[in-house]
Amino acid sequence: DIQLTQSPSFLSASVGNRVTITCRASQGITNYLAWYQQKPGKAPKLLIYAASTLQSGVPSRFSGSGSGTDFTLTISSLQPEDFATYYCQQLNSYPVTFGGGTTVEIK
Amino acid sequence: QVQLVQSGAEVKKPGASVKVSCKASGYTFTSFAMHWVRQAPGQRPEWMGWINVGNGNTRYSEKFQVRVTITRDTSATTAYMELSSLRSEDTAVYYCARWAPVAGGHTIFDYWGQGTLVTVSS
């Protein structure tokens, strides 16, 4: 199985900050990587797919990059509604797997 | 608009089975596959398997292979996930998620159900 390791697992930031989350795959997955945002008690919401493509309706302050084994999710200017947990997901091969999550909290 | 509405919370005893439903609306049900993902409290999401809603073919995670069955009723536009031989570690929120093709040969989980909490306790 492909393991996804996210870092950091927790970060504290202020509104307006630039935030970067990384996801490392245990083997190459080309660009078969997605990012999700999840708020307490809610289902994950797709933000980015194919490593860097913004899902329809997602604000442009979210961006993704990377290929192979190393990926990043960047929020250019953190907004109050962005405080949540973020997960990466690989769809390169079965089983589909998810990273351990990064919780973004208000500083 | 696309909606996936899941059945309500369940409480089960160890050894029992649970069947969760996922009612789809707002799109052609047979044109999109459906995945099931679960999330234990404070844990990362965990993929369980998927069904080709058009022909009924399934693929399961090896972890759940012997205990999970995913089915669908096309006339009811509903997908189902049944998990047997429940144990306390199966306590989790169970989600259905629509699988859609996008450009470049990629696929996405674009719509998710609201989740169904399954609690396994004696």
Side-chain angles (χ1 to χ4, degrees):
Chain A
D1 298 2
I2 295 175
Q3 312 301 319
L4 297 179
T5 303
Q6 284 185 238
S7 60
S9 56
F10 172 90
L11 73 87
S12 182
S14 300
V15 171
N17 282 174
R18 181 182 181 89
V19 166
T20 298
I21 298 168
T22 66
C23 177
R24 174 163 289 175
S26 59
Q27 62 191 79
I29 57 171
T30 58
N31 66 339
Y32 286 88
L33 189 104
W35 290 96
Y36 292 85
Q37 176 192 70
Q38 188 176 34
K39 296 183 178 179
K42 300 295 187 183
K45 174 188 173 184
L46 179 65
L47 300 175
I48 300 278
Y49 64 91
S52 60
T53 303
L54 200 65
Q55 171 67 346
S56 175
V58 174
S60 59
R61 63 181 179 273
F62 291 93
S63 64
S65 65
S67 67
T69 60
D70 293 305
F71 302 86
T72 60
L73 172 71
T74 299
I75 309 172
S76 59
S77 177
L78 202 61
Q79 298 301 301
E81 60 268 30
D82 301 336
F83 292 95
T85 299
Y86 294 84
Y87 294 97
C88 55
Q89 175 203 40
Q90 69 80 21
L91 297 102
N92 181 76
S93 62
Y94 290 110
V96 173
T97 51
F98 292 82
T102 297
T103 299
V104 178
E105 291 203 353
I106 301 173
K107 191 172 186 176
Chain B
Q1 73 284 19
V2 174
Q3 281 195 302
L4 301 177
V5 179
Q6 298 184 220
S7 48
E10 303 261 15
V11 179
K12 296 291 183 181
K13 293 195 181 303
S17 296
V18 68
K19 190 171 186 177
V20 179
S21 68
C22 172
K23 167 75 173 174
S25 61
Y27 70 97
T28 302
F29 182 60
T30 52
S31 295
F32 296 83
M34 195 76 76
H35 287 251
W36 288 86
V37 174
R38 78 176 188 180
Q39 189 171 28
Q43 301 300 309
R44 70 184 73 189
E46 184 175 32
W47 177 77
M48 301 181 71
W50 69 279
I51 186 166
N52 179 322
V53 174
N55 62 20
N57 288 347
T58 55
R59 180 165 186 162
Y60 302 127
S61 167
E62 282 190 20
K63 176 175 178 176
F64 302 103
Q65 179 78 40
V66 296
R67 296 198 296 138
V68 71
T69 304
I70 299 174
T71 57
R72 91 291 190 226
D73 180 341
T74 56
S75 63
T77 67
T78 300
Y80 302 91
M81 186 285 301
E82 183 170 20
L83 188 63
S84 62
S85 303
L86 290 168
R87 35 213 189 225
S88 59
E89 311 90 88
D90 294 318
T91 294
V93 176
Y94 290 76
Y95 295 100
C96 57
R98 193 181 80 159
W99 197 31
V102 292
H106 287 270
T107 56
I108 59 174
F109 291 15
D110 59 351
Y111 290 93
W112 293 60
Q114 83 277 17
T116 297
L117 175 62
V118 175
T119 303
V120 183
S121 174
S122 55

